[in-house]
DNA sequence: CGCAATGTTGAGTATATTCAATTATCGTGG
DNA sequence: CCACGATAATTGAATATACTCAACATTGCG
């Protein structure tokens, strides 16, 4: 439950970064790759359940997710928790802390994770020397913003069933694009408590709502997660279409 | 109700921009100011109720708010609307459209507004020539993200009363920092429908909730808006503290 | 003046929460 | 190996919260 970090034994070189070979991420020039390789300062491996970033602190580091699922959240004083968004390979973790005074949210691993670590103090150099990478950073921030917009629409105006359908379709899509899910691996690793804390519902009502999606054959709930059986149907219920941007930046 | 744009007769020079004299916004170097002055392509003046940006379109422009209040929103096919955030002087409008394929939300004016217009096509030049301004752009995107995080926490996990208190404290704080509100002008220009669509509540329930805040002497509802009488008390109810960052970037 | 938008209120209904109890699964230690 | 506790999922019942419907008051504007 507490922080549980392992020092990775094998360290990946940016030159052979497995994410770069995926069609979903944009190609780098040799120049950009050289810079990022020098920007990188290490790797962080965590167990499932580990807290990677703590609200109110200010880490000297900035991360990119290499492997695994995680989530960002905030809690109120009395313990009420709201999950803000999920992180998957290619996502930045800790940009806020790098730009502002301190982190305004925490990040926890859903599965074992590997993160690529960068020196916060060298971020401004990136802006000075590599406009294209700076542009990508802003792109990533703008995309996070548009995801949060959709989440707000969901929690604020969709019904419980629509919200649940949206969330699972959304997670399935993110997992699919980043190589975490495919035709055979369709297991989204969240508990019903995570779903409840994302949708702004109680666990009991979340359970009943997920059951309804299961009854309609759209998902199959297993222990600590579910298989997404029919993404199209989920999108239909939620009245949502995934963003069809083909390539995305990645630092 | 429809788009209603006026061509401004008097056009402000960036060198005498009224926002720059405010302590809330960071100072520019002469170099930066020169660039922004050339980046600027015009001004947009709108009436209250005008739609400045339409979801699904892709304007050739990017804006900075100079005067007035506005809001960003999304709607579902059947008309359900969710207000995502409010815009005040110094806020960027249309960054998403400038970076991604198209706008994922609309923007509407709450009061008459003046916006400073920039050429989208020249955005990349900003990244190439002015790292400090690019950094500011990313900072603004990250801050928008952290505001949306707080909104999500609010809609997802706060009670109706807490949500309403948070929203009014939040709007009052934003207005105060950007010169829209002060000791004498404390009128926040939103209808109860706007509040409802921001908080994810019905108008009827919003009305009853606002009345409770009024009964406790924290606000006084007027026609199409309210006076915020006791921000401290609102913050207390919401269990929220405004961000105490002193200066912020502004392009 | 009359319409349109906004704000208000009460009543009945629907949705979602809390409380409480039960089952299943997994890993740990005896 | 099995008992045990911890976490997760499930279910029913009572209650609270929020929504819809409907009617009416108020204001500003053409």
């Amino acid at each position: 439950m507490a922080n549980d970090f392992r020092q990775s034994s094998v360290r990946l070189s940016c030159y052979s970064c497995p994410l770069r070979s995926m069609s979903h991420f944009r190609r780098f020039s040799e120049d950009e790759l050289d810079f990022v390789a020098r920007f990188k300062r290490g790797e962080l491996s965590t167990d499932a359940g580990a807290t990677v970033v703590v609200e109110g602190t200010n880490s000297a580091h900035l991360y990119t997710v290499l492997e695994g699922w995680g989530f960002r959240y905030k809690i109120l004083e009395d313990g009420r928790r709201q999950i803000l968004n999920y992180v998957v390979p290619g996502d930045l973790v800790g940009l806020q802390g790098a730009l502002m005074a301190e982190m305004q949210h925490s990040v926890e691993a859903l599965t074992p994770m590997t993160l690529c670590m960068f020196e916060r103090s060298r971020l401004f150099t990136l802006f000075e020397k590599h406009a294209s990478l700076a542009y990508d950073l802003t792109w990533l921030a703008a995309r996070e913003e548009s995801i949060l917009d959709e989440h707000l629409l969901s929690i604020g105006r969709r019904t419980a069933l629509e919200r649940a359908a949206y969330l699972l379709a959304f997670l399935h899509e993110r997992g699919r694009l980043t190589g975490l899910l495919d035709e055979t691996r369709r297991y989204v690793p969240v508990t019903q408590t995570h779903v409840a804390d994302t949708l702004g519902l109680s666990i009991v009502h979340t359970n009943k709502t997920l059951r309804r999606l299961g009854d309609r054959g759209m998902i199959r709930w297993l222990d600590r997660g579910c298989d997404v059986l029919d993404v199209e149907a989920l999108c239909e219920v939620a009245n949502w279409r995934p963003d069809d941007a083909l390539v995305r930046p990645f630092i």
Side-chain angles (χ1 to χ4, degrees), chain A residues 76-181:
Chain A
L76 290 169
E77 268 180 8
D78 62 3
R80 282 175 285 177
R81 179 177 72 169
Q82 177 65 39
I83 294 182
L84 308 164
N85 196 13
Y86 292 80
V87 295
V88 293
D91 284 348
L92 278 177
V93 169
L95 180 63
Q96 246 180 51
L99 293 167
M100 343 267 285
E102 57 183 38
M103 292 301 295
Q104 309 280 320
H105 61 256
S106 304
V107 177
E108 188 177 315
L110 276 173
T111 64
M113 290 181 82
T114 309
L115 299 108
C116 200
M117 196 170 87
F118 302 107
E119 203 76 38
R120 178 195 160 163
S121 61
R122 297 190 60 210
L123 186 61
F124 197 74
T125 311
L126 182 149
F127 275 87
E128 287 178 320
K129 306 284 185 187
H130 289 273
S132 58
L133 295 177
Y135 190 89
D136 286 355
L137 222 59
T138 312
W139 190 97
L140 285 168
R143 200 199 42 143
E144 179 74 13
E145 191 184 312
S146 86
I147 289 174
L148 294 177
D149 285 351
E150 191 69 40
H151 286 353
L152 266 170
L153 174 63
S154 203
I155 301 197
R157 288 305 185 209
R158 280 193 243 253
T159 66
L161 192 74
E162 289 168 342
R163 278 184 235 184
Y166 160 70
L167 177 62
L168 292 170
F170 168 79
L171 288 174
H172 181 268
E173 179 68 6
R174 297 210 82 198
R176 190 181 67 76
L177 288 172
T178 56
L180 292 167
L181 301 178

Side-chain angles (χ1 to χ4, degrees), chain A residues 6-237:
Chain A
R6 288 176 269 113
Q7 197 61 28
S8 175
S9 49
V10 192
R11 186 167 142 193
L12 289 165
S13 154
C14 292
Y15 298 99
S16 58
C17 178
L19 292 190
R20 309 214 166 278
S21 59
M22 294 178 59
S23 61
H24 181 232
F25 297 101
R26 89 160 169 91
R27 291 290 90 93
F28 268 12
S29 71
E30 228 173 280
D31 207 34
E32 289 169 331
L33 198 49
D34 286 343
F35 178 83
V36 172
R38 274 179 294 120
F39 192 23
K40 177 170 178 178
R41 279 302 167 89
E43 264 170 39
L44 185 62
S45 293
T46 73
D47 289 336
T51 302
V52 181
V53 167
V54 181
E55 181 174 352
T57 63
N58 196 347
S59 155
H61 300 115
L62 177 66
Y63 305 92
T64 287
V65 178
L66 290 182
E67 291 172 29
W69 297 83
F71 63 94
R72 302 198 299 119
Y73 67 96
K74 283 173 89 90
I75 43 173
L76 290 169
E77 268 180 8
D78 62 3
R80 282 175 285 177
R81 179 177 72 169
Q82 177 65 39
I83 294 182
L84 308 164
N85 196 13
Y86 292 80
V87 295
V88 293
D91 284 348
L92 278 177
V93 169
L95 180 63
Q96 246 180 51
L99 293 167
M100 343 267 285
E102 57 183 38
M103 292 301 295
Q104 309 280 320
H105 61 256
S106 304
V107 177
E108 188 177 315
L110 276 173
T111 64
M113 290 181 82
T114 309
L115 299 108
C116 200
M117 196 170 87
F118 302 107
E119 203 76 38
R120 178 195 160 163
S121 61
R122 297 190 60 210
L123 186 61
F124 197 74
T125 311
L126 182 149
F127 275 87
E128 287 178 320
K129 306 284 185 187
H130 289 273
S132 58
L133 295 177
Y135 190 89
D136 286 355
L137 222 59
T138 312
W139 190 97
L140 285 168
R143 200 199 42 143
E144 179 74 13
E145 191 184 312
S146 86
I147 289 174
L148 294 177
D149 285 351
E150 191 69 40
H151 286 353
L152 266 170
L153 174 63
S154 203
I155 301 197
R157 288 305 185 209
R158 280 193 243 253
T159 66
L161 192 74
E162 289 168 342
R163 278 184 235 184
Y166 160 70
L167 177 62
L168 292 170
F170 168 79
L171 288 174
H172 181 268
E173 179 68 6
R174 297 210 82 198
R176 190 181 67 76
L177 288 172
T178 56
L180 292 167
L181 301 178
D182 57 34
E183 286 73 27
T184 57
R185 285 164 41 93
R186 43 183 67 199
Y187 178 74
V188 179
V190 289
T191 65
Q192 296 193 355
T193 301
H194 290 123
V195 175
D197 285 351
T198 311
L199 303 183
L201 300 171
S202 69
I203 316 179
V204 172
H205 196 233
T206 298
N207 179 279
K208 288 165 184 166
T209 304
L210 288 172
R211 171 158 302 279
R212 284 204 282 157
L213 288 179
D215 290 345
R216 298 191 190 186
M218 299 178 189
I219 63 168
R220 177 175 45 206
W221 198 268
L222 307 162
D223 193 45
R224 292 147 200 262
C226 73
D227 277 358
V228 173
L229 304 176
D230 190 345
V231 203
E232 291 305 317
L234 291 173
C235 290
E236 185 92 18
V237 168

